[in-house]
Amino acid sequence: MKPEVQPNKIVVLSGSGLSAESGLPTFRDSNGLWNQYAWHEVASPEGWQARPEAVLAFYNERRAKAAAVAPNAAHRAIAALEQAYEVVVVTQNVDDLHERAGSTNILHVHGELIYARGTSDARLRYRIDAAPITLGQLCEHGTQLRPDIVWFGEPTQFMEEARAHVASAAKVLVVGTSLSVYPAAGLVKAARGRAEKVLNCLDFDKVPFGYTFMQGKATEVVPALVNTWLNQAQSQA
Ligand code: NAD
């Protein structure tokens, strides 16, 4: 049975484009990470087995870069929605810019840079913030620490919870994702017919059915949309 739509609920589905204007590269744009690195070498269990030191170096750099930048106007606007709405952020991003902007209810479906985990047991998580992980650093069960990141071929986290949130949202904002990594990309389809659905990114070939495409930079589009939604909530109060 589908959950009831909650009139005051907003779900934000965010991707790497949201953090681009903070200075973190996306994956698939022309200056994206996958033009500089082979994903199967640095973001897969096979890459980890073959060259763990290269994988650690890749994520150590991502972690240091994420720690050195700040949330942008779009992250802050999303956090401001909590003034008037119940907001759930479902993010593919592995940075912590939503948290640092002030959002309080966030599901990281692809993991988080600020945590390390044991190789053998994903539940053994350790907060490391900006610190690097080195070869030889072990979890309490004696296995090598690895980034707490969902690699290609590994199961995406919190999917059922995320799908239920999208299905009960009155408004869904999709921002900064090419919707090309599944199953996370499939979450857009869980939105209800009568929900207000908006997609913001720089360009998009095939906008999902029922979504209004707002083309442009997240730091311009998202604060304007949030303003409209906050005014709407105020006029309905
Ligand atoms: P992607 O590279 O496939 O797509 C980026 C999207 O963002 C594109 O649609 C592009 O038009 C849009 N975009 C770029 N700049 C934008 C801007 N200024 N304003 C609005 N939109 C903008 O990225 P994706 O869909 O997030 O890919 C998913 C994968 O990327 C996930 O696995 C995620 O973990 C990973 N990733 C995360 C980070 C991060 O945490 N910051 C960085 C790189 C990659």
Side-chain angles (χ1 to χ4, degrees), residues 84 230-237:
L230 288 176
N231 286 337
Q232 215 177 74
Q234 208 171 29
S235 63
Q236 283 163 2

Side-chain angles (χ1 to χ4, degrees), residues 15-17 19-21 24-29 33 92-95 110 176-181 200-203 216-218:
S16 61
S19 298
E21 290 170 81
L24 299 179
T26 63
F27 269 166
R28 290 173 190 78
D29 293 315
L33 291 169
Q92 296 176 72
N93 291 349
V94 294
D95 65 54
H110 288 161
T177 170
S178 61
L179 295 177
S180 49
V181 178
N200 162 233
C201 57
L202 295 184
D203 50 53
K217 292 179 177 177

Side-chain angles (χ1 to χ4, degrees), residues 32-220:
L33 291 169
W34 292 158
N35 284 326
Q36 300 164 47
Y37 296 90
W39 65 263
H40 49 91
E41 286 176 8
V42 294
S44 75
E46 295 74 23
W48 176 242
Q49 279 214 318
R51 287 182 64 217
E53 66 287 356
V55 176
L56 291 179
F58 175 75
Y59 284 104
N60 287 343
E61 192 184 333
R62 306 271 78 69
R63 193 177 305 107
K65 286 204 164 136
V69 302
N72 63 46
H75 295 102
R76 291 195 298 273
I78 290 165
L81 281 170
E82 293 187 22
Q83 292 164 16
Y85 294 94
E86 178 197 344
V87 183
V88 181
V89 176
V90 178
T91 188
Q92 296 176 72
N93 291 349
V94 294
D95 65 54
D96 63 345
L97 295 179
H98 278 298
E99 283 85 348
R100 287 198 266 143
S103 286
T104 59
N105 196 1
I106 306 161
L107 296 176
H108 282 273
V109 295
H110 288 161
E112 294 176 76
L113 284 168
I114 58 169
Y115 286 90
R117 50 160 276 205
T119 302
S120 62
D121 188 346
R123 288 164 306 179
L124 290 174
R125 291 172 92 226
Y126 306 91
R127 180 142 184 167
I128 54 171
D129 293 309
I133 305 175
T134 52
L135 265 189
Q137 261 186 313
L138 307 180
C139 75
E140 65 216 62
H141 289 176
T143 63
Q144 171 65 42
L145 287 184
R146 56 163 272 188
D148 184 33
I149 301 291
V150 175
W151 288 327
F152 289 96
E154 295 186 321
T156 306
Q157 303 176 147
F158 310 119
M159 285 306 287
E160 280 321 302
E161 205 179 323
R163 200 168 284 117
H165 281 305
V166 177
S168 59
K171 299 183 195 299
V172 178
L173 167 61
V174 180
V175 52
T177 170
S178 61
L179 295 177
S180 49
V181 178
Y182 280 82
L187 287 170
V188 292
K189 294 203 183 103
R192 302 296 272 276
R194 64 190 165 100
E196 183 177 349
K197 299 179 279 292
V198 175
L199 169 69
N200 162 233
C201 57
L202 295 184
D203 50 53
F204 212 90
D205 281 347
K206 199 163 177 284
V207 176
F209 180 75
Y211 281 76
T212 302
F213 182 39
M214 291 188 172
Q215 186 167 24
K217 292 179 177 177
T219 55
E220 291 166 10

